[in-house]
Amino acid sequence: MKNVRNILQKKGSHYHAVRPDILVYEAIKVMGENNIGSVLVLEDGHLVGILTERDYARKVVLQGRYSANTYVKEIMSPHPGLVTVHPDTSVEECMELMTAHRVRHLPVVEKNNIAGVISIGDVMFTLMKQKDLIIEDMTNYLYRR
């Protein structure tokens, strides 16, 4: 059974972060430049939240606010309360958490340090690869008989 550590070993532990006191416009710019759907929000090196495209759409665009005069801390999903996982969390458990909490990004935290971020795409890709291996093993087993 694969876990978050396996995903991070393949994709890397790099993540993008912003401060809570910057304008949403700057955070969205970071997401756009890096083709990502979220950024972690750090204050003094500690995780204080996450800002996602969904936060932007629902808390800025739909409320008639402007990213040029709204701060990240005003619309981010705050921590505590933020769903995080440990590197040893199974991929299946990640899918359950993402489904239950309706989130697409999970910060990975180990010993109060950020180890990376995984997305729903990372989880789905890993689950599909696991299923492919099971099918291949079953096929090989059946043809050997």
Side-chain angles (χ1 to χ4, degrees):
M1 183 183 324
K2 297 275 185 179
N3 60 25
V4 172
R5 191 178 312 278
N6 301 126
I7 293 174
L8 292 178
Q9 286 171 344
K10 286 191 177 197
K11 85 176 263 185
S13 59
H14 182 73
Y15 59 89
H16 296 277
V18 298
R19 295 183 325 274
D21 60 350
I22 69 165
L23 293 171
V24 170
Y25 177 84
E26 293 300 322
I28 296 298
K29 190 173 170 186
V30 169
M31 286 190 249
E33 289 170 349
N34 293 285
N35 197 28
I36 54 176
S38 71
V39 288
L40 297 182
V41 183
L42 303 180
E43 189 168 45
D44 299 324
H46 295 89
L47 181 65
V48 294
I50 189 169
L51 179 69
T52 67
E53 292 169 327
R54 184 181 285 175
D55 291 322
Y56 174 72
R58 293 180 179 178
K59 298 173 186 173
V60 175
V61 176
L62 289 179
Q63 293 183 11
R65 298 169 84 174
Y66 298 96
S67 59
N69 63 7
T70 302
Y71 291 94
V72 168
K73 63 185 169 190
E74 296 175 60
I75 69 161
M76 70 183 190
S77 298
H79 183 63
L82 185 62
V83 181
T84 63
V85 293
H86 185 273
D88 294 328
T89 304
S90 74
V91 176
E92 289 82 1
E93 187 177 346
C94 290
M95 180 55 77
E96 290 172 15
L97 286 168
M98 290 173 144
T99 302
H101 295 277
R102 301 181 62 89
V103 297
R104 296 177 183 165
H105 302 90
L106 292 172
V108 182
V109 179
E110 183 174 30
K111 297 179 184 172
N112 292 324
N113 294 316
I114 300 167
V117 176
I118 62 168
S119 71
I120 188 101
D122 300 324
V123 171
M124 289 300 298
F125 179 81
T126 303
L127 288 172
M128 288 184 341
K129 285 295 180 191
Q130 281 181 314
K131 302 287 185 234
D132 288 347
L133 288 174
I134 291 169
I135 291 168
E136 185 178 327
D137 287 347
M138 298 281 292
T139 302
N140 289 336
Y141 174 77
L142 290 172
Y143 282 116
R144 276 192 241 141
R145 293 188 86 179

